[in-house]
Amino acid sequence: MNWHNIFQYTDGKLYWKIKVSKKVVIGTEAGTPNHNGYLRVSVYNKRFYVHRVIYEMFHGPLPKGAEVDHVNGVRSDNKIENLRKASSNENKWNRSKSSNNTSGYIGVHYFKRTGQYTATIWQYRKRKYLGYFPTAEDAYNARLTAEKAYHKVFAQSACRV
């Protein structure tokens, strides 16, 4: 689909160029947030994620199986410089801290039996244990080092505590 015929991109936002339904007003911002915080648009009764539309406007169609990753982890920040192509694994490496995280750090868990913290990292569907540490900060530092080694440019999640 040629997105340039339907939308105008300005500073991370899409604006309607044509009327694709009764509710669309030309010139207004396109996209409504879903329950996960991603913006979506409906074009001819089909839903699309705004970040994918913007990425395709600048880089062409995504290959099958490819995803669009938000570099800074903010799901509603759809500026083109914040979007990059990623595999499913790479996209997961850059996810934010889980809501049930108790250590305060991504990939760091308290191990009751030893009274220490353990650090883990995922690499292509395999969990790698990085060891036991006396403090959460020590475990987190090990996790940072491993992220830089394993995830390279997708190691951004370590920066978001």
Side-chain angles (χ1 to χ4, degrees), residues 72-98:
N72 68 2
V74 178
R75 295 173 179 180
S76 60
D77 183 359
N78 293 315
K79 294 183 179 101
I80 190 60
E81 57 271 11
N82 187 45
L83 304 176
R84 62 182 168 195
K85 182 173 71 169
S87 70
S88 179
N89 279 318
E90 291 167 338
N91 202 3
K92 288 174 185 153
W93 295 341
N94 192 24
R95 67 180 169 203
S96 60
K97 183 174 55 175
S98 172

Side-chain angles (χ1 to χ4, degrees), residues 6-65:
I6 302 169
F7 300 108
Q8 170 71 41
Y9 170 85
T10 305
D11 198 31
K13 296 180 181 181
L14 293 178
Y15 297 91
W16 294 105
K17 284 173 101 173
I18 63 170
K19 195 165 182 68
V20 295
S21 74
K22 291 179 184 177
K23 294 180 180 180
V24 169
V25 177
I26 295 173
T28 60
E29 187 177 341
T32 56
N34 70 0
H35 66 282
N36 289 328
Y38 292 105
L39 296 174
R40 292 193 310 187
V41 292
S42 289
V43 178
Y44 303 121
N45 294 320
K46 190 166 183 198
R47 291 185 181 161
F48 300 94
Y49 285 108
V50 169
H51 60 276
R52 291 182 67 100
V53 171
I54 291 172
Y55 184 87
E56 289 184 359
M57 286 175 84
F58 284 83
H59 301 290
L62 280 166
K64 188 173 179 125

